[in-house]
Amino acid sequence: MIKLERIAWQAPGGFVLQDISLEIPSGVYAVLMGSTGCGKTSLLEILCGLRRPSAGHVLLDGKNVTNLEPRHRHIGYLPQDLALFPGRCVRDQIGFAPSLQGAADKDTIVQNLATELGIFHLLDRQPDHLSGGEKQRVALARALAAKPSVLLLDEPLSALDEATHAEATQLLRSLHQKHELTVLHVTHSRTEAASLAQMKLRLENGKIVEA
């Protein structure tokens, strides 16, 4: 479950998020839309702990995590630019979170996710030798490696061509179901929203409304 209670935050010299409240039930795939620059990415960053709200509370699966560091929130986050680590092979990208957690089964986690996302043959490859679609799958695997219950996706399909986009949409649908995730997916695409969303939201004038 994702729950925001009266969140407030202001970008320096920019937009204001004020009195933001929403609740996404456990296991639901929610899509958040809104105009460019309205604060969608900032809202995701507040959820995962990269930004601190000036007021309000962030609750995940019933736990108040407002003051917790990102690594303690057990969230999978896929930023728009994917943010793959330069100079690290795919194996190390996926194994990053299990290593931080001291997981004894790190190698198994990496191999299982690489197989599931069809990137096992890429495990020893560097990010600059990957296609756009391959990079996206690596970033998804890295986000899932921490075994999160909540997955945040910031424009995850925006850089893909039409053929890869359709394939990636099906992949997201499959991952949501198999891993029993609560998902908040930011997009500008009505097509994506129609295809994936069980719950549609819109950020308008600093407020969340049902789309």
Side-chain angles (χ1 to χ4, degrees), residues 92 94-103 106:
D92 291 341
I94 303 172
F96 179 73
S99 293
L100 284 181
Q101 296 169 341
K106 181 189 78 171

Side-chain angles (χ1 to χ4, degrees), residues 80 132 155-161:
Q80 187 172 2
E155 298 280 1
L157 309 181
S158 60
L160 303 181
D161 59 38

Side-chain angles (χ1 to χ4, degrees), residues 106-144:
K106 181 189 78 171
D107 292 342
T108 300
I109 292 171
V110 171
Q111 291 170 13
N112 287 347
L113 282 169
T115 299
E116 181 179 357
L117 275 81
I119 53 175
F120 190 86
H121 63 295
L122 302 173
L123 283 175
D124 295 316
R125 195 171 294 184
Q126 295 288 328
D128 54 357
H129 294 135
L130 301 175
S131 70
E134 289 168 345
K135 288 178 181 179
Q136 185 219 44
R137 286 173 179 257
V138 172
L140 270 172
R142 185 181 61 182
L144 293 170

Side-chain angles (χ1 to χ4, degrees), residues 32 34 36 40-41 44 78-82 136 153-159 185-189 192:
L32 176 64
T36 300
K40 301 185 299 298
T41 294
L44 292 188
L78 187 70
Q80 187 172 2
D81 63 0
L82 304 181
Q136 185 219 44
L153 305 171
D154 193 359
E155 298 280 1
L157 309 181
S158 60
H185 172 140
V186 163
T187 183
H188 287 96
S189 169
E192 279 177 38

